[in-house]
Amino acid sequence: MKNRSGNRFYSVLSVVLLLLGVGILAYKPIMDYWVTPKHLEKLYQTGLGVEGIQRNMESLNVQNKQKQAGAFDFSAVENLGFIDKKATIQTENVVGGIYIPSVDINLPILYGATNENLKAASATMKPDQAMGEGNYAIAAHNSRNPDVLFGSLKYVEVGDELYITNKDKVYKYTMVHREIVMPERVDVIDDVEDQTLLTLVTCYSADASDRLIVTGELTEVVDYSEADSFINDAFEPL
């Protein structure tokens, strides 16, 4: 009887340990490929519209000097492990959206590259930048899941269309250049004389030791109401 009880105990223990191991191995993929995308999709339904985004921009301009210190300190940005269900979007920080049809990137643009903003969406990298002017720079984390954040940015090719909007205008850029740089190369987001650019920044290697830079040139500006229907559909949740 003792042997049978002992064997039963070890059999149950083996099954429990096996299930525990499977659970540990499955946890991260489940978070990356199921929980996180569904959570973020809900966050992106801001419903602000042009008036809400305009109010945010006006308010942020007033607060600009106070917000700059914390919102644009790149050295304080933490590497992304995985996004949990604590990721949030403060709707008062939403200043627009970015859409790249070729790789299905469709994210809100938030003011300031803070850890909180970058866990949930894309974020501006300079305090005074304006869409359609200078070099408009946006950062987002890379992701194991290409459907999350800038996980698919590495697949963008020269000639692809890049769209950003504040729900008043749609700014169309055409991708012209990509490169891998070290993190200290912050000059890539500087304005360039006589060029109107969009610069997208994300980590490239898994250890976040370098950065992928994608650059587009402005090719068209249209009223939001006059944009193609597929663009309006993409930005509708903002």
Side-chain angles (χ1 to χ4, degrees), residues 73-220:
D73 181 6
F74 304 145
S75 64
V77 175
E78 299 171 355
N79 294 337
L80 182 69
F82 61 90
I83 304 171
D84 59 30
K85 295 188 69 173
K86 295 179 182 179
T88 60
I89 286 180
Q90 295 181 341
T91 55
E92 62 267 27
N93 285 337
V94 177
V95 295
I98 177 170
Y99 176 47
I100 307 177
S102 63
V103 294
D104 201 26
I105 287 176
N106 188 358
L107 303 170
I109 300 172
L110 309 181
Y111 178 90
T114 64
N115 281 310
E116 183 177 14
N117 286 347
L118 289 170
K119 283 181 179 180
S122 66
T124 59
M125 300 188 72
K126 297 184 290 186
D128 300 318
Q129 62 186 32
M131 292 185 182
E133 299 179 13
N135 184 2
Y136 196 85
I138 304 172
H141 280 301
N142 197 348
S143 168
R144 294 176 181 85
N145 183 351
D147 295 327
V148 172
L149 301 176
F150 272 1
S152 61
L153 188 65
K154 56 183 171 289
Y155 302 118
V156 174
E157 298 180 350
V158 171
D160 283 355
E161 297 171 345
L162 321 170
Y163 297 92
I164 58 174
T165 189
N166 53 16
K167 295 284 286 218
D168 177 36
K169 304 285 186 183
V170 174
Y171 302 85
K172 175 183 174 182
Y173 296 79
T174 300
M175 196 278 222
V176 294
H177 181 68
R178 60 174 281 163
E179 62 178 320
I180 311 299
V181 303
M182 293 295 101
E184 57 269 20
R185 281 285 311 280
V186 294
D187 61 288
V188 296
I189 66 173
D190 291 344
D191 289 351
V192 179
E193 188 175 0
D194 298 326
Q195 294 188 53
T196 307
L197 306 172
L198 173 66
T199 296
L200 309 179
V201 180
T202 192
C203 292
Y204 184 71
S205 299
D207 63 358
S209 60
D210 47 20
R211 302 289 182 266
L212 169 64
I213 310 298
V214 169
T215 305
E217 290 183 346
L218 184 67
T219 50
E220 186 179 13

Side-chain angles (χ1 to χ4, degrees), residues 14-76:
S14 298
V15 171
V16 170
L17 291 175
L18 176 62
L19 292 175
L20 181 62
V22 170
I24 292 172
L25 291 173
Y27 178 73
K28 199 169 187 61
I30 289 173
M31 291 296 297
D32 286 341
Y33 289 89
W34 190 68
V35 176
T36 293
K38 288 185 176 295
H39 175 58
L40 293 182
E41 185 178 353
K42 292 180 181 179
L43 293 183
Y44 298 162
Q45 312 290 318
T46 68
L48 286 168
V50 61
E51 293 181 359
I53 290 175
Q54 186 61 43
R55 283 196 303 270
N56 286 351
M57 293 172 65
E58 291 172 356
S59 175
L60 289 165
N61 284 337
V62 172
Q63 304 173 46
N64 218 0
K65 290 185 178 178
Q66 293 93 334
K67 292 179 75 70
Q68 280 185 31
F72 300 97
D73 181 6
F74 304 145
S75 64

